[in-house]
C-alpha cells in the first residue's frame, strides 16, 4: 500500500522559526541524532551579507546583490563556513551581519539566487534544514515540517548568552528591540515571509530544554509512516 503522503527518495526535516528560537541548535542535534546532513540556511544569508559588506554592495541594490550571490565562493566544512576559502564562522554570527542578512533577504532576486544552493544540500540519507522558508518554499515536500516558537524574552535571553559566550558584547534592551524589529521585517516581507507551513507542527520551546525539543522532533519523525526505527527511510 502507498503511504498517505508521497515521499521524495531523500527525506527532509524542515525546522523554521524566528531568530534565536533555538532552531539552529535543535536542527544540528536532530541531524546528528539521525545521521542526516544539515543546512543552516541563515548562514547562507549571513555569508551573502558579509560578502556585500566586503564588496561594497548596498543592501538596497537587489540586482547587485543577486549577482554577488550568484558568484559567491562559499563552502561548509566540518561546521565551518568559508568565504573565498577563508573561515568566517565567527564573523557571520555578529548582530550587525544578522541585521544586514535580514535586510538583504527581503529581495526576491536574492532569495531566488540562493534556492539551488539550498536544495543541493539534499543528499542521502537525509537532510535537516533550518531557516524561515524551508517548509514553505525550499522543501515543500519535506517529510516533516516543524515551526519552532519561543517568547521574545526567552529568545533575547538565549541570544544574550550565545553572544557573550562567543566574546561579543550584548545588551538585553538592545537585543529585545532588535529581535522585535527583525521578527517584524522577516514576517511582513512580501517574498517568502516567516510563517508556519500549513502542514507544519508547532513547537514552543520557551519552557523546553534543548534535549526535550530535540527528543520531540526525533519522535515525530520516527512516527511517520515509512520511517524505520533507526531513522532510515523506507522504500516508496
Ligand atoms: O537564522 P539567522 O538569524 O541566521 O538568519 C539571518 C537572517 O537571514 C534572518 O533574519 C532572515 C534571513 N533568512 C531568511 O530570510 N530565510 C532563511 N531561510 C534564513 C535566513
Amino acid at each position: 500500500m502507498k503511504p498517505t503522503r508521497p515521499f521524495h527518495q531523500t527525506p527532509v526535516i524542515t525546522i523554521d522559526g524566528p531568530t534565536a528560537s533555538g532552531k539552529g541548535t535543535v536542527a544540528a542535534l536532530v541531524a546528528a541524532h539521525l545521521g542526516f546532513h544539515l543546512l543552516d540556511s541563515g548562514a547562507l544569508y549571513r555569508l551573502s551579507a558579509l560578502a556585500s559588506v566586503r564588496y561594497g554592495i548596498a543592501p538596497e541594490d537587489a540586482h547587485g546583490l543577486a549577482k554577488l550571490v550568484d558568484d559567491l565562493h562559499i563552502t561548509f566544512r566540518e561546521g565551518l563556513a568559508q568565504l573565498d576559502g577563508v573561515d568566517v564562522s565567527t564573523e557571520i554570527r555578529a548582530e550587525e551581519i544578522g541585521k544586514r542578512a535580514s535586510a538583504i533577504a527581503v529581495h526576491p532576486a536574492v532569495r531566488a539566487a540562493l534556492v539551488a544552493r539550498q536544495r543541493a544540500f539534499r543528499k542521502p540519507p537525509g537532510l535537516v534544514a533550518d531557516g524561515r522558508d524551508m517548509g514553505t518554499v525550499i522543501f515543500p515536500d519535506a517529510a516533516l515540517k516543524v515551526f519552532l516558537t519561543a517568547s521574545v524574552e526567552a529568545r533575547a535571553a538565549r541570544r544574550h548568552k550565545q553572544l557573550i559566550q562567543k566574546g561579543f558584547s550584548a545588551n538585553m534592551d538592545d537585543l529585545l528591540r532588535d529581535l522585535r524589529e527583525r521578527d517584524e521585517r522577516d514576517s511582513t516581507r512580501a517574498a517568502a515571509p516567516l510563517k508556519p507551513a500549513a502542514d507544519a507542527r508547532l513547537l514552543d520551546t520557551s519552557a523546553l530544554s534543548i534535549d526535550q525539543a530535540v527528543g520531540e522532533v526525533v519522535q515525530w519523525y520516527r512516527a511517520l509512516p515509512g520511517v524505520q526505527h533507526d531513522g532510515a527511510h523506507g522504500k516508496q
Side-chain angles (χ1 to χ4, degrees):
M1 209 171 78
K2 284 207 160 215
T4 47
R5 187 174 184 162
F7 281 122
H8 185 285
Q9 213 62 25
T10 303
V12 179
I13 299 175
T14 58
I15 304 188
D16 288 306
T19 199
S21 57
K23 62 188 163 27
T25 310
V26 171
L29 290 170
V30 170
H33 203 93
L34 295 172
F36 281 11
H37 298 280
L38 177 68
L39 164 61
D40 168 5
S41 62
L44 288 175
Y45 284 90
R46 286 169 181 267
L47 281 160
S48 307
L50 178 64
S52 75
V53 175
R54 291 213 176 147
Y55 292 100
I57 316 273
E60 304 78 37
D61 179 4
H63 180 75
L65 288 166
K67 169 98 183 59
L68 172 79
V69 168
D70 271 340
D71 297 341
L72 273 187
H73 178 55
I74 53 186
T75 36
F76 290 95
R77 207 160 289 142
E78 287 159 18
L80 297 180
Q82 297 183 328
L83 179 62
D84 297 329
V86 179
D87 175 31
V88 290
S89 316
T90 307
E91 266 177 282
I92 59 167
R93 294 294 146 204
E95 278 304 284
E96 279 314 302
I97 296 297
K99 276 196 236 173
R100 189 153 174 135
S102 171
I104 69 169
V106 302
H107 303 300
V110 171
R111 308 197 68 83
L114 284 170
V115 169
R117 280 188 201 258
Q118 294 175 86
R119 291 194 177 142
F121 279 77
R122 187 177 201 163
K123 290 193 191 125
L127 174 69
V128 180
D130 94 68
R132 304 291 188 291
D133 61 342
M134 298 296 98
T136 48
V137 177
I138 307 297
F139 302 108
D141 64 337
L144 172 65
K145 300 179 184 179
V146 179
F147 193 85
L148 285 195
T149 55
S151 67
V152 72
E153 291 78 15
R155 291 189 284 127
R158 283 178 197 160
R159 179 50 58 89
H160 188 264
K161 197 168 145 201
Q162 235 174 34
L163 287 167
I164 299 293
Q165 274 170 358
K166 288 187 176 152
F168 292 109
S169 63
N171 167 291
M172 271 302 270
D173 289 340
D174 291 347
L175 282 173
L176 275 169
R177 197 194 51 237
D178 284 355
L179 280 183
R180 289 196 175 104
E181 270 174 29
R182 192 116 59 102
D183 282 357
E184 172 71 14
R185 184 165 46 205
D186 290 350
S187 20
T188 57
R189 69 179 176 223
L194 169 68
K195 62 160 196 233
D199 49 352
R201 300 199 198 186
L202 300 188
L203 186 59
D204 187 331
T205 65
S206 308
L208 292 186
S209 70
I210 289 169
D211 283 352
Q212 286 171 320
V214 172
E216 189 72 18
V217 175
V218 169
Q219 208 179 331
W220 281 343
Y221 179 67
R222 292 216 162 117
L224 292 178
V227 176
Q228 281 130 41
H229 187 69
D230 63 359
H233 215 271
K235 289 207 166 52
Q236 293 207 4

